[in-house]
Amino acid sequence: MTQLLRSRAELRAVLTSLPRPVGLVPTMGWLHDGHRSLIRRARSENRTVVATIFVNPRQFNRAEDFSKYPRNEARDVQICAEEGVNIVWAPPVDEVFVPGFDTTISVGAIAMPLEGAARPGHFDGVATVVAILFGLVGAEHAYFGQKDAQQVMVIRQMARDLALPTQVIACATVREPDGLALSSRNVHLRPAERAAAPVLRQALLAAAAQWRLGERSGEALRTMLRSTLAGVPLAQPEYVSVADALTLGELDRIEGTALLSLAVRFGSTRLIDNELLEWPG
Ligand code: AMP
């Protein structure tokens, strides 16, 4: 049975009577098959699964983006029930950021480039809310999508530095048949933008193919990413990156595992994707 809970107190009370280990799946709702894959992994590795649905105002650097984020709680709860989630925690904002709340978790260097540079304050918001969720749920395991590769790295850094006992587990990106990574934001794409959006994946695969053929210049791969995107006029690139997979520092030469990543705007919708180039290949 799936229980829908709102308050911190209810969540804590119900959790005390449920079997361990506990797997946590944090989400912002508008659930899709990417979220389902995280829940299924959590279901297979834990006796209790907690999914949270919370559109976190602190991780949006633009108020408009927050207000137009898609929401459908009834449908989300239905999906959680289908996937055997034990607890859905869907709190109001003041149950997460309780009155008088005055703490920010700010992760260092790993949170600075890429999404951190493009979206000031974003990772402070993410790290702070995830720290609250880890504290409240006390899960053995928490599941995050590799689609948000830097987010996983930021959360791992935070959990390690703050000695939080929850193990952070990254799950593979789930895609549409044409390669577009599933995202709650895809709903905002106009038909022509939706048709153009697979170019993110195509650019990543073109660069990865160059790498597999022996290309080791970071700039050559960035050029490949840019030129593939340039073939699609609706795609407005925000950044392309070929970075060290551990530090996220941009690479001149690829001499270890690298992360290709990009952020691209289609009208007002911003999409991200990435591909890991695992050394030695
Ligand atoms: P969100 O609701 O967008 O904050 O996402 C909640 C979690 O689902 C995050 O850990 C995301 O990385 C993950 N996620 C989002 N999209 C996908 C996807 N296409 N494949 C796998 N995981 C995803």
Side-chain angles (χ1 to χ4, degrees):
M1 192 196 69
T2 303
Q3 297 192 63
L4 173 60
L5 306 177
R6 304 284 178 200
S7 71
R8 286 187 177 200
E10 286 172 301
L11 176 62
R12 281 193 190 283
V14 172
L15 269 171
T16 57
S17 64
L18 291 176
R20 310 204 72 90
V22 173
L24 169 67
V25 182
T27 83
M28 297 206 298
W30 200 262
L31 302 184
H32 51 61
D33 285 355
H35 300 111
R36 277 191 201 258
S37 76
L38 269 50
I39 293 170
R40 282 181 193 162
R41 174 92 182 264
R43 187 67 279 168
S44 73
E45 296 178 354
N46 300 276
R47 293 183 67 201
T48 295
V49 176
V50 178
T52 63
I53 300 173
F54 180 62
V55 184
N56 172 21
R58 293 190 185 218
Q59 74 186 68
F60 289 85
N61 47 322
R62 302 192 319 165
E64 183 213 352
D65 198 20
F66 171 71
S67 60
K68 78 168 207 183
Y69 199 85
R71 293 165 169 89
N72 186 340
E73 188 187 276
R75 184 172 163 276
D76 291 342
V77 172
Q78 174 64 35
I79 288 172
C80 288
E82 285 168 22
E83 297 297 340
V85 170
N86 303 96
I87 298 177
V88 176
W89 194 52
V93 173
D94 66 359
E95 282 290 331
V96 176
F97 302 112
V98 291
F101 189 93
D102 196 20
T103 296
T104 299
I105 308 282
S106 195
V107 174
I110 201 74
M112 294 301 130
L114 307 177
E115 291 300 288
R119 306 177 65 191
H122 170 67
F123 283 127
D124 285 2
V126 169
T128 303
V129 82
V130 171
I132 296 167
L133 295 177
F134 279 19
L136 278 169
V137 177
E140 278 79 0
H141 310 116
Y143 299 83
F144 295 88
Q146 181 64 19
K147 203 211 79 163
D148 300 284
Q150 189 180 13
Q151 172 170 277
V152 175
M153 298 171 79
V154 167
I155 291 166
R156 283 214 169 107
Q157 179 85 47
M158 173 193 75
R160 168 183 171 278
D161 292 354
L162 301 182
L164 307 180
T166 302
Q167 186 191 340
V168 175
I169 296 165
C171 304
T173 302
V174 176
R175 300 174 181 283
E176 300 282 4
D178 63 9
L180 176 63
L182 298 189
S183 165
S184 308
R185 290 188 166 85
N186 293 352
V187 69
H188 295 310
L189 295 168
R190 296 166 197 278
E193 293 166 348
R194 172 63 189 83
V199 73
L200 273 83
R201 178 74 173 150
Q202 287 153 12
L204 292 166
L205 292 181
Q210 289 290 103
W211 174 77
R212 252 179 249 108
L213 289 171
E215 181 60 74
R216 293 294 178 263
S217 155
E219 196 48 35
L221 296 189
R222 283 186 287 272
T223 300
M224 172 62 83
L225 292 171
R226 278 189 216 103
S227 65
T228 307
L229 295 173
V232 173
L234 283 175
Q236 300 162 296
E238 205 171 87
Y239 64 75
V240 302
S241 165
V242 179
D244 182 289
L246 292 178
T247 67
L248 296 184
E250 288 301 313
L251 292 171
D252 293 331
R253 299 286 310 165
I254 301 175
E255 290 166 336
T257 299
L259 184 74
L260 307 178
S261 63
L262 34 70
V264 181
R265 281 189 187 281
F266 294 84
S268 59
T269 307
R270 183 175 183 280
L271 302 180
I272 61 172
D273 203 348
N274 67 80
E275 176 78 10
L276 204 57
L277 304 180
E278 297 207 57
W279 194 264

